């Protein structure tokens, strides 16, 4: 059944969908119920972490002596997702012992690099989807009085081919797609509608007292600001990947000072002059870090390790281990500030605060000046 949940992006009404994580949990519920009740489960339902109820038809039901296999079709709503329409299968199989074990099968990737949501060697089924699958199956076991062991295997036929068109191979996830989702719901993106909404919010903020604009790409930056009193200079505007547009809007609507707070994985792209930091447009994170590490005298082996890192946080760890972080970060900050100044134009003070998994990494010169002036 089609999810009738909508969001507005500017003036556009867009339908939401549900994640591969939700599909896996629903298919797992159906498979467990089919196996333990010996009756084909035709529909499955759950409440997502976002609090939205889902009820979907179950497809491709297969039943054996000690297993059942069911599928749920991915619905991405109005979001242009590569997995829209694929079947996500789950097989529930009785195994010796107790408890629920979750594994990945055909078309589900496997983690080969450190720094991702799951450890090296594990199926690329992220933490929240694992919780959703476990909770859905545990509820069926409780309903049916089953206290034995179950092996739940998630698979996506054709996932290996689809994954080649994603960033999974670059991240070190091999052999298939990832099972993702933190809310269980996919909110569609309309590029122009989001930029229009961002401009409108900045224009409205310009009517309020004070001429400082504080930007954060998303929740990570907003949370870092919330936990850092010195950065709480004005209400935060979340600019997503549209950093170039956001800074230009700030200048257009009269903000004299613009402070950008973000994770290194996002802001390091600014050191390469990138305007829109979405991975569809640019993914130069490791190249930038490696280039500055090379300028700081790193070895060829270290350069290779940096280029092969799964995440920027992993690269930062390598830089710190090699004693290079203190040399690399200031150069990156200087280049980020140069890019922001180009976006903002003459007469606008624009700076950035950079953080990672280890905490604060550094501030640009203008960021220090903005914070100092607004705390006086």
């Amino acid at each position: 059944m089609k999810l009738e949940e909508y969001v507005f992006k500017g003036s556009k009404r867009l339908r939401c969908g549900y994640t591969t994580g939700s599909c896996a949990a629903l298919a797992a519920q159906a498979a467990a119920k089919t196996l333990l009740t010996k009756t084909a489960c035709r529909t499955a339902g759950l409440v997502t972490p976002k609090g939205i109820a889902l009820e979907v038809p179950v497809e491709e039901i297969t039943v054996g002596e000690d297993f059942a296999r069911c599928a749920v079709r991915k619905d991405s709503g109005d979001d242009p997702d590569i997995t829209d329409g694929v079947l996500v299968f789950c097989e529930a199989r009785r195994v010796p012992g107790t408890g629920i074990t979750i594994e990945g099968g055909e078309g589900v990737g496997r983690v080969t690099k450190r720094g991702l949501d799951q450890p090296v060697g594990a199926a690329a089924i992220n933490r929240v989807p694992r919780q959703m699958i476990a909770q859905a199956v545990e509820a069926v076991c409780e309903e049916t009085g089953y206290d034995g062991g179950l092996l739940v295997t998630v698979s996506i036929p054709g996932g290996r081919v689809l994954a080649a068109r994603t960033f999974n191979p670059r991240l070190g996830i091999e052999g298939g797609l990832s099972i993702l989702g933190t809310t269980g719901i996919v909110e569609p993106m309309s590029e122009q509608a989001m930029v229009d909404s961002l401009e409108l919010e900045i224009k409205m903020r310009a009517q309020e007292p004070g001429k400082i604009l504080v930007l954060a790409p998303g929740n990570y930056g907003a949370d870092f600001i919330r936990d850092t009193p010195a950065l709480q200079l004005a209400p935060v505007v979340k600019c997503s990947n549209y950093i170039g547009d956001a800074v230009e809007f700030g200048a257009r609507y009269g903000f004299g000072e613009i402070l950008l707070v973000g994770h290194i994985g996002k802001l390091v792209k600014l050191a390469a002059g990138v305007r829109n930091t979405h991975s569809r447009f640019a993914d130069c994170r490791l190249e930038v870090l490696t280039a500055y590490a090379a300028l700081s005298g790193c070895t060829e082996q270290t350069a290779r390790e940096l280029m092969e890192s799964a995440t920027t946080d992993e690269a930062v760890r390598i830089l710190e281990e090699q004693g290079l972080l203190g040399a690399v970060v200031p150069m990156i900050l200087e280049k980020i500030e140069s890019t922001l100044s180009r976006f903002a134009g003459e007469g606008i003070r624009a700076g950035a605060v950079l953080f990672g998994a280890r905490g604060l990494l550094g501030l640009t010169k203008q960021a220090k000046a903005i914070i100092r002036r607004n705390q006086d």
Side-chain angles (χ1 to χ4, degrees), residues 165-363:
R165 295 161 56 190
T166 72
F167 276 87
N168 272 15
R170 176 68 180 270
L171 293 174
I173 299 172
E174 297 182 357
L177 295 164
S178 302
I179 305 299
L180 301 171
T182 56
T183 66
I185 297 296
V186 175
E187 288 195 6
M189 292 179 63
S190 167
E191 296 280 343
Q192 190 56 51
M194 291 185 71
V195 173
D196 292 345
S197 296
L198 175 61
E199 180 178 8
L200 179 60
E201 182 176 2
I202 291 173
K203 183 178 180 180
M204 292 173 62
R205 288 286 168 83
Q207 311 306 311
E208 300 172 358
K211 285 300 177 182
I212 177 171
L213 175 63
V214 178
L215 299 171
N219 291 331
Y220 284 164
D223 290 346
F224 190 82
I225 292 169
R226 182 197 63 204
D227 297 335
T228 310
L231 301 179
Q232 295 167 12
L233 309 177
V236 179
V237 174
K238 293 183 184 178
C239 60
S240 186
N241 293 293
Y242 309 106
I243 294 174
D245 289 308
V247 173
E248 289 180 358
F249 293 150
R252 180 183 305 172
Y253 293 110
F255 286 98
E257 296 179 321
I258 301 172
L259 184 67
L260 173 67
V261 181
H263 188 278
I264 187 171
K266 187 72 67 176
L267 300 198
V268 73
K269 297 181 184 183
L270 296 176
V274 172
R275 286 181 57 85
N276 185 322
T277 56
H278 195 286
S279 58
R280 292 201 309 274
F281 301 103
D283 187 24
C284 52
R285 300 164 301 156
L286 300 177
E287 288 83 353
V288 171
L289 288 168
T290 303
Y292 283 108
L295 289 173
S296 302
C298 78
T299 65
E300 182 180 344
Q301 177 61 31
T302 297
R304 290 184 182 279
E305 290 179 8
L306 290 170
M307 284 297 295
E308 293 172 0
S309 299
T311 65
T312 49
D313 282 321
E314 176 67 10
V316 166
R317 183 192 65 78
I318 293 169
L319 290 170
E320 189 169 26
E321 281 184 355
Q322 298 299 319
L324 296 168
L325 193 62
V328 170
V329 167
M331 289 192 288
I332 288 174
L333 287 168
E334 183 178 354
K335 191 64 176 177
I336 288 172
E337 185 159 281
S338 174
T339 299
L340 291 175
S341 297
R342 177 164 56 84
F343 294 157
E346 292 185 10
I348 309 298
R349 181 178 285 175
V353 177
L354 194 66
F355 67 88
R358 68 191 295 278
L360 179 67
L361 292 172
L363 296 82

